[in-house]
Amino acid sequence: MEVEVPGKGTVSAIRTEAEGTPNGWVFVYAPGAGARLNDGFGVYASRRLSEVGIATVRFQFPYMEAGKRRPDRNDILEATWTAVLEQVCGDGVRIVAGGRSMGGRIASQVASKEAGIDALALFAYPLHPPYNRSQRRDIHFP
C-alpha cells in the first residue's frame, strides 16, 4: 500500500489484517529513526496483534523511502503521520497510534493536536534528545 504525503511524494505502508474476528482496532506503527518499514519490532508486533484480532498498518517516513539517513523535519514527519491516519481511519475503526522511539514521539505529537486517535502505544519513547537532557520531549502530554 502507498500513502501520498503532500509535497513529499508517496511512502510505503504494509497493512496486516486481523486473523479470525476483527475487534475494530487498528494499530498504526512507525519505526524509529534509522529503521525501515520491516524493522524487527514492527514485524513482531504486527504478527502478534493480528493473532488477537487487531489489524496493523506499518509505514516509513519520506527520508527512509528516499534512502536517506537523516530524518525529515518535524513538520514532514507529522504530515506523514496525518496522511497515513487519514487513509486508515474509517467508520467504526478505533485507532491506536504509536511506534518505536522517534516513530512513537511523532505519533504522540500528532495525537496531541488531532482528534481521531483513541490510544497511544509508545515503545522506547525518547524523553530527551541524545546528549541533551535539558530538552524535554514530553511537554505536549496533558
Side-chain angles (χ1 to χ4, degrees), residues 12-14 29 31 35-39 42-43 58-60 64:
S12 299
I14 298 172
Y29 171 85
R36 299 193 65 75
L37 183 61
N38 288 313
D39 74 302
V43 170
R58 294 177 285 126
F59 69 94
Q60 63 188 9
M64 289 303 285

Side-chain angles (χ1 to χ4, degrees), residues 13 26 38 50-51 88 109:
V26 176
N38 288 313
S50 172
E51 293 170 0
V88 171
Q109 291 171 195

Side-chain angles (χ1 to χ4, degrees), residues 36-118:
R36 299 193 65 75
L37 183 61
N38 288 313
D39 74 302
F41 182 80
V43 170
Y44 173 79
S46 254
R47 188 176 63 246
R48 296 297 303 204
L49 290 170
S50 172
E51 293 170 0
V52 295
I54 300 171
T56 60
V57 173
R58 294 177 285 126
F59 69 94
Q60 63 188 9
F61 293 106
Y63 75 97
M64 289 303 285
E65 194 77 25
K68 297 178 181 176
R69 302 182 103 183
R70 184 180 182 91
D72 296 306
R73 294 186 326 261
N74 234 36
D75 61 325
I76 295 168
L77 299 172
E78 289 183 9
T80 305
W81 257 107
T82 299
V84 171
L85 290 169
E86 286 173 354
Q87 190 164 325
V88 171
C89 289
D91 290 337
V93 174
R94 299 193 67 192
I95 300 291
V96 178
R100 184 166 172 76
S101 193
M102 183 192 76
R105 178 172 57 87
I106 303 302
S108 71
Q109 291 171 195
V110 170
S112 74
K113 299 174 186 177
E114 296 184 24
I117 297 173
D118 298 290

